[in-house]
Amino acid sequence: EKGLDTALEVARRTGFTIDIFGDGPDRPAMEAMARRKLAPVRFLGPSTAPWTVMHDYRVFLNPSLSEVLCTSTAEALVAGRHVVLPDCPANVPFRRYPNAHFFSDLDGAVAAMRRAMVESPEPPDAVRHDFDWRNACRTLASLLTESGEFGAT
């Protein structure tokens, strides 16, 4: 569940134009749904380097319930952007960051998007520290050691 229907509805209810990156077999149906709903969205296709366009955006909306520790979400936080995410187990690692806004239903998604669009982002120092390559490797090694997947030497 990529949550594109949520993105379309958030765009329709807020009036904010949302750019949608990516592609897949559901794209024609989503484009048709966007036209029917009069949702102000632009389908921009796949991007192999999202960080090259991220500077143009204030908020990153990732309504997906199926992505686990989404790297694009982490990149947006590291870049100092607000992120709007569903409250689900996959997004738990992002809870501690002040620029992450969570929702549990469509009304909450609309409220989170509106809040993110008007609030100034907090400096991303903590997320930059946590997602630094060296620190991320240490965290992973610690988790593997604790789980018994990997023996200490």
Side-chain angles (χ1 to χ4, degrees):
E1 159 81 65
K2 292 288 185 182
L4 292 177
D5 52 334
T6 299
L8 297 180
E9 193 60 25
V10 167
R12 189 187 69 77
R13 288 190 188 187
T14 62
F16 299 138
T17 299
I18 295 178
D19 290 343
I20 297 175
F21 289 89
D23 207 359
D26 296 333
R27 182 174 173 175
M30 296 309 298
E31 288 175 335
M33 184 186 302
R35 285 190 298 276
R36 277 192 313 277
K37 289 182 175 243
L38 302 176
V41 297
R42 297 184 299 188
F43 289 88
L44 301 179
S47 174
T48 57
W51 56 89
T52 62
V53 295
M54 200 169 291
H55 59 84
D56 294 335
Y57 297 94
R58 175 183 182 84
V59 177
F60 178 76
L61 169 64
N62 182 1
S64 177
L65 295 169
S66 63
E67 295 181 44
V68 177
L69 193 58
C70 178
T71 55
S72 295
T73 298
E75 289 168 357
L77 285 167
V78 167
R81 302 305 184 264
H82 287 284
V83 298
V84 175
L85 307 165
D87 189 5
C88 68
N91 291 323
V92 167
F94 303 119
R95 281 207 153 282
R96 60 179 290 213
Y97 305 112
N99 294 335
H101 307 274
F102 295 88
F103 62 89
S104 57
D105 59 22
L106 196 49
D107 289 336
V110 169
M113 178 62 89
R114 286 187 173 138
R115 187 172 56 255
M117 289 297 288
V118 298
E119 289 181 0
S120 295
E122 295 291 323
D125 300 335
V127 72
R128 285 181 180 167
H129 174 271
D130 292 349
F131 286 98
D132 169 82
W133 184 246
R134 181 177 287 147
N135 291 327
C137 289
R138 285 183 183 138
T139 300
L140 177 60
S142 174
L143 291 171
L144 290 172
T145 301
E146 289 172 13
S147 71
E149 294 290 319
F150 173 109
T153 58

